[in-house]
Amino acid sequence: MAQYAVRESPPLRGEIPISTSKNAVLPIMCGALLTGDDVRIERPPDLTDVKTLCSLMTACGCSVKQEAHALILNAKTLKEPQDEEDVRKMRASVLVLGPLLARLGRAETSLPGGCNIGARPIDLHLEGLARMGAKELDAGAGKLVLAAPGGLHGTDFTLRFPSVGATETLLLAAACARGTTVLRGAAREPEIADLQDFLCAMGAEVRGAGGSVITVSPKRKLHGCVHRVIPDRIVAATYL
């Protein structure tokens, strides 16, 4: 077992840059699938999860360009992902379901993998999407197929508990749905507020993030934008 010796030192001084938030950038990257225009994400963190999601988005037909301090995404030719391995690597892959349903009317993917802390099922994601008009089709073990041939519609949905992932999934799905969506019992994390800011920069009408009730007004077509993700509060707290 590794051991660390901590000795008394003079007072620490200086400044250190804080990387952008992984938990904010992943749903924002998936939000880029809602438009066929360029989406520029400033200062994405250099993390394996970001690289894995880039690979998954490429499998969805999204072009991914890496610049020195930005990630440029373009999902003009959106399609369902065929690479099951990338889906199984990370739980955040479930966040592509809303954009795929919103733009294609269908989403076929493998069940997401990733973090094994607790059971963490995706039932809330599926319940909310079902209330918006998505139907789950029989796809066999390990597969998930949802269809909304008539498009997604707004709904008034109360989450049984404030799931961050389900809140993000339903926000992404509602951004291009017909009619107003009201999410009650929503997660209140700052990453949710950052996703709202990103969607609004794309032309969506979202309000209430940071509180327990979020309202998404109908907006059928979104456009590209430039967005700088919030700093990572966990990294900042660690340094503090």
Side-chain angles (χ1 to χ4, degrees), residues 22 43 61-62 65 95 97 161 199 208 218 235 238:
K22 180 200 80 167
R43 294 185 63 237
C62 180
K65 296 179 183 178
L95 295 173
L97 292 176
F161 61 91
L199 291 172
V235 174
T238 299

Side-chain angles (χ1 to χ4, degrees), residues 3-232:
Q3 294 183 343
Y4 298 90
V6 181
R7 298 183 176 88
E8 185 177 358
S9 66
L12 300 178
R13 293 185 175 86
E15 297 180 0
I16 187 168
I18 301 299
S19 64
T20 47
S21 169
K22 180 200 80 167
N23 290 335
V25 78
L26 298 180
I28 285 171
M29 288 172 63
C30 292
L33 299 178
L34 289 167
T35 179
D37 298 338
D38 280 355
V39 171
R40 182 184 178 94
I41 300 173
E42 302 284 355
R43 294 185 63 237
D46 185 18
L47 298 172
T48 299
D49 276 1
V50 172
K51 295 173 183 175
T52 301
L53 186 55
C54 282
S55 180
L56 173 59
M57 293 184 71
T58 299
C60 290
C62 180
S63 71
V64 178
K65 296 179 183 178
Q66 181 80 53
E67 291 189 353
H69 301 290
L71 195 61
I72 301 173
L73 308 171
N74 185 292
K76 185 176 182 179
T77 56
L78 189 63
K79 63 180 182 180
E80 294 172 288
Q82 304 298 315
D83 192 339
E84 297 182 11
E85 185 61 26
D86 285 330
V87 174
R88 290 173 177 162
K89 282 180 184 176
M90 62 187 309
R91 182 169 183 79
S93 60
V94 72
L95 295 173
V96 304
L97 292 176
L100 288 175
L101 284 167
R103 287 189 60 195
L104 303 179
R106 179 183 168 88
E108 179 175 349
T109 183
S110 298
L111 289 172
C115 179
N116 292 318
I117 301 175
R120 305 181 73 180
I122 62 169
D123 56 332
L124 281 178
H125 303 247
L126 299 179
E127 286 177 24
L129 291 172
R131 289 282 295 273
M132 298 176 73
K135 299 184 183 300
E136 188 172 354
L137 307 181
D138 185 14
K143 283 279 191 181
L144 179 63
V145 179
L146 300 175
L152 296 174
H153 56 74
T155 188
D156 192 317
F157 182 69
T158 301
L159 287 84
R160 296 193 305 277
F161 61 91
S163 162
V164 172
T167 300
E168 292 167 343
T169 288
L170 300 179
L171 277 180
L172 292 169
C176 292
R178 300 188 315 275
T180 298
T181 295
V182 179
L183 300 179
R184 306 182 190 275
R188 304 185 184 191
E189 278 75 358
E191 291 80 13
I192 303 294
D194 199 31
L195 179 59
Q196 172 181 273
D197 291 344
F198 169 73
L199 291 172
C200 288
M202 294 177 71
E205 296 182 20
V206 187
R207 60 187 184 277
S212 62
V213 180
I214 304 176
T215 303
V216 186
S217 299
K219 195 76 172 181
R220 296 290 290 161
K221 186 173 177 60
L222 303 183
H223 53 70
C225 71
V226 177
H227 184 76
R228 182 163 180 165
V229 181
I230 60 173
D232 194 308

